[in-house]
Amino acid sequence: MSGKPRLTYINGRGRMEPIRWLLAAAGVEFEENFVETKEQLEKLIKGGDLLFQQVPMVEIDGMKMVQTRAILCYIAGKYNLYGKDLKERALIDMYVEGITDLMQMVMMFPFSPAEAKAKNLASIEEKATKRYFPVFEKILKQHGQDFLVGNRLSWADVQLLEAILAVEEKVPAVLSGFPQLQAFKTKMSNVPTIKKFLQPGSARKPPPDEKYVALVMSIFNLS
Amino acid sequence: MAGKPKLHYTCGRGKMESIRWLLAAAGVEFEEQFIEKNEHLEKLRKDGDLLFQQVPMVEIDGMKMVQTRAILSYIAGKYNLYGKDLKERAWIDMYVEGTTDLMGMIMQLPLQSAEMREKNLALIIERAKTRYFPVYEKALKDHGHDYLVGNKFSWADIHLLEAILMVEECKPDILSAFPQLQAFKGRISNIPTIKKFLQPGSQRKPPADDKYIANVRKIFNI
């Protein structure tokens, strides 16, 4: 019997990846239950395991949690990655929501039609370099600390590192105008739990490829 | 000098409406500064008031908060509408994310073509009836309490009432198969702060009409 959280999702990044990141950063071992077919998903739905008939679903502390944000908030709160008070939590929430908007573009990118891909990629680069990264560059510069909020590792830092790496996979030189973020990326990557997660063989999932896209389309009945 | 929160948005529901609901339910008076032209939005951006160049923005407790969920979480936490511990908060979060998904679908409708709108309206009704409302109906039936979580009024209750009323605007008899939700709607609507918000003359905004949408397109360049 394991007390470990158990993640139910497809064997790929999607909406579960930020959850994998956060658990890993918190040093929490977890198990994964991969949904590989439509029938498997339907069985989960029929079995009443998915509150709104959707994954991600994470079994944790006796709950079958759904809704990515709810799961992330719970993990952050439980493992002290959510600031020390309401105001720090407010900052973490604002930063995480901004990063989530950027990551949403990255997540949806593989599913965009071929003729829209170039435009969407340009949009990701523009938003990253003009709307989101400048904000975090400025925050780090202004307080001069290693972490975004409260001089302490939080959910916001983990989410930002994930976003930086995800965007870099699509736009390799994206950090060229952001020296603070370059230093942040290095420091964060060396946090022991994160360093471990970044090594081959961890639970981190590879970038989505055509095979993954086809699998998602077939499981979720998308066209 | 006002210590009141100040809301920056267009004079319509959009993403700010859930924030208006929550503040009103908590009995918190607030001011509103309406963005009526693109120039107003650009000025907020130029002045550095919008962290990610977007509204909603709420001035509260010395912060210029952005991102709807962050603002809602802060208000819920501040006014004791977020449960008593981490687990109650988890349930409130899950319930609120569900109603957010449902209301998000409805929010998109006015911006869509007539054809897409018809298709999506049918999907909204289906989702409300088979994916979302049954969950809240069952939660209320199972524990028999007046409120969704912890036998205490919370953000989840306010958000659910808002969602129910919004779906009813799409299909008036949507609650016909949900007796618990009917009773819930009656109860929550009678909470004094909410009753006040539901009366004409409050800061509650009407559903989007063509004129509002045309202006939104101009302001946000969409």
Side-chain angles (χ1 to χ4, degrees):
Chain A
M1 181 181 82
S2 104
K4 295 183 195 171
R6 190 160 179 257
L7 280 47
T8 297
Y9 199 68
I10 311 179
N11 188 357
R13 289 184 182 176
R15 293 188 184 283
M16 188 63 97
E17 195 73 351
I19 295 169
R20 296 183 184 107
W21 267 90
L22 194 56
L23 284 168
V28 178
E29 281 181 33
F30 55 90
E31 294 173 356
E32 301 205 69
N33 175 31
F34 295 123
V35 176
E36 284 157 345
T37 62
K38 190 152 55 104
E39 291 70 48
Q40 214 182 323
L41 179 64
E42 278 163 8
K43 185 159 178 248
L44 280 165
I45 292 172
K46 273 204 191 70
D49 285 345
L50 308 177
L51 189 66
F52 299 114
Q53 304 160 6
Q54 297 165 313
V55 287
M57 189 270 278
V58 174
E59 294 164 76
I60 183 167
D61 296 340
M63 299 180 286
K64 288 184 165 66
M65 285 200 74
V66 296
Q67 292 289 351
T68 311
R69 249 181 216 84
I71 297 165
L72 288 165
C73 286
Y74 181 75
I75 295 166
K78 181 176 178 179
Y79 295 103
N80 294 309
L81 294 166
Y82 217 166
K84 71 179 198 298
D85 57 26
L86 215 56
K87 280 211 166 168
E88 284 195 353
R89 213 166 87 194
L91 289 175
I92 291 166
D93 279 339
M94 281 194 275
Y95 299 161
V96 160
E97 288 296 302
I99 296 163
T100 299
D101 285 349
L102 177 60
M103 285 295 281
Q104 177 76 5
M105 297 174 79
V106 174
M107 197 196 333
M108 296 308 293
F109 177 78
F111 298 92
S112 41
E115 60 274 15
K117 281 208 158 69
K119 194 181 108 196
N120 288 340
L121 187 56
S123 200
I124 289 170
E125 182 172 4
E126 204 216 329
K127 286 270 149 67
T129 55
K130 297 250 166 19
R131 177 171 287 190
Y132 296 107
F133 288 173
V135 170
F136 302 109
E137 180 79 6
K138 184 176 176 206
I139 288 162
L140 292 167
K141 186 161 191 202
Q142 278 184 340
H143 62 43
Q145 292 161 6
D146 285 355
F147 306 106
L148 285 169
V149 179
N151 207 9
R152 201 174 99 154
L153 180 72
S154 79
W155 173 19
D157 302 299
V158 179
Q159 196 90 59
L160 178 57
L161 177 64
E162 184 192 359
I164 286 171
L165 296 181
V167 177
E168 274 186 335
E169 281 168 356
K170 302 237 113 25
V171 186
V174 75
L175 285 195
S176 58
F178 302 101
Q180 298 284 332
L181 290 180
Q182 288 171 36
F184 173 85
K185 175 190 162 189
T186 305
K187 269 180 248 167
M188 284 293 296
S189 302
N190 280 307
V191 169
T193 48
I194 294 177
K195 188 171 187 170
K196 193 168 160 204
F197 187 64
L198 290 172
Q199 271 153 10
S202 81
R204 187 182 182 212
K205 301 296 173 274
D209 58 13
E210 272 162 28
K211 215 170 119 198
Y212 171 75
V213 171
L215 181 63
V216 169
M217 305 275 241
S218 76
I219 292 175
F220 294 103
N221 258 339
L222 305 170
S223 52
Chain B
M1 182 181 81
K4 295 181 194 170
K6 193 175 187 200
L7 279 49
H8 296 260
Y9 202 68
T10 49
C11 187
R13 288 183 180 177
K15 288 186 186 284
M16 188 61 98
E17 193 71 352
S18 294
I19 294 168
R20 296 182 184 108
W21 267 91
L22 191 55
L23 284 168
V28 179
E29 281 181 34
F30 55 92
E31 295 174 357
E32 301 200 70
Q33 182 152 304
F34 296 121
I35 295 166
E36 283 155 350
K37 296 189 193 166
N38 179 262
E39 294 85 81
H40 300 162
L41 179 64
E42 287 309 320
K43 181 167 195 292
L44 283 166
R45 285 172 170 162
K46 274 202 194 69
D47 290 349
D49 287 343
L50 307 177
L51 189 66
F52 300 115
Q53 329 280 329
Q54 298 164 313
V55 286
M57 189 270 275
V58 174
E59 296 180 68
I60 184 168
D61 296 340
M63 299 180 284
K64 288 185 165 69
M65 284 200 75
V66 297
Q67 293 289 347
T68 311
R69 256 185 212 79
I71 296 165
L72 288 165
S73 291
Y74 181 76
I75 295 166
K78 182 175 177 180
Y79 295 101
N80 293 310
L81 294 165
Y82 217 164
K84 71 178 197 305
D85 57 27
L86 217 55
K87 277 209 169 171
E88 285 193 354
R89 212 166 86 193
W91 281 103
I92 290 167
D93 279 338
M94 282 192 273
Y95 290 147
V96 160
E97 288 296 300
T99 38
T100 297
D101 284 349
L102 180 57
M103 286 198 276
M105 294 173 78
I106 300 174
M107 216 189 302
Q108 297 291 321
L109 284 174
L111 292 164
Q112 292 163 349
S113 67
E115 197 197 329
M116 285 304 290
R117 209 180 304 171
E118 205 189 312
K119 204 178 98 184
N120 284 328
L121 187 57
L123 184 60
I124 287 164
I125 305 296
E126 200 217 325
R127 287 273 153 87
K129 276 199 204 161
T130 60
R131 177 174 288 190
Y132 295 105
F133 287 171
V135 169
Y136 305 97
E137 178 80 5
K138 179 172 195 276
L140 291 166
K141 185 161 193 209
D142 281 354
H143 60 46
H145 298 153
D146 284 355
Y147 308 109
L148 284 169
V149 179
N151 205 6
K152 196 175 114 151
F153 186 53
S154 79
W155 174 19
D157 302 300
I158 299 158
H159 216 245
L160 177 57
L161 177 63
E162 185 190 358
I164 285 171
L165 296 181
M166 217 183 245
V167 180
E168 278 185 332
E169 282 168 354
C170 298
K171 190 174 197 300
D173 64 350
I174 193 80
L175 287 193
S176 57
F178 300 103
Q180 297 285 333
L181 292 182
Q182 289 173 39
F184 174 86
K185 176 189 162 190
R187 276 196 307 273
I188 307 300
S189 302
N190 275 308
I191 290 173
T193 48
I194 293 182
K195 189 169 188 172
K196 195 169 161 203
F197 187 63
L198 289 172
Q199 272 154 10
S202 81
Q203 283 159 299
R204 188 181 181 213
K205 300 294 174 282
D209 60 17
D210 288 338
K211 201 168 136 211
Y212 172 72
I213 292 297
N215 204 27
V216 162
R217 287 191 188 281
K218 271 210 293 238
I219 293 169
F220 295 101
N221 266 330
I222 46 173

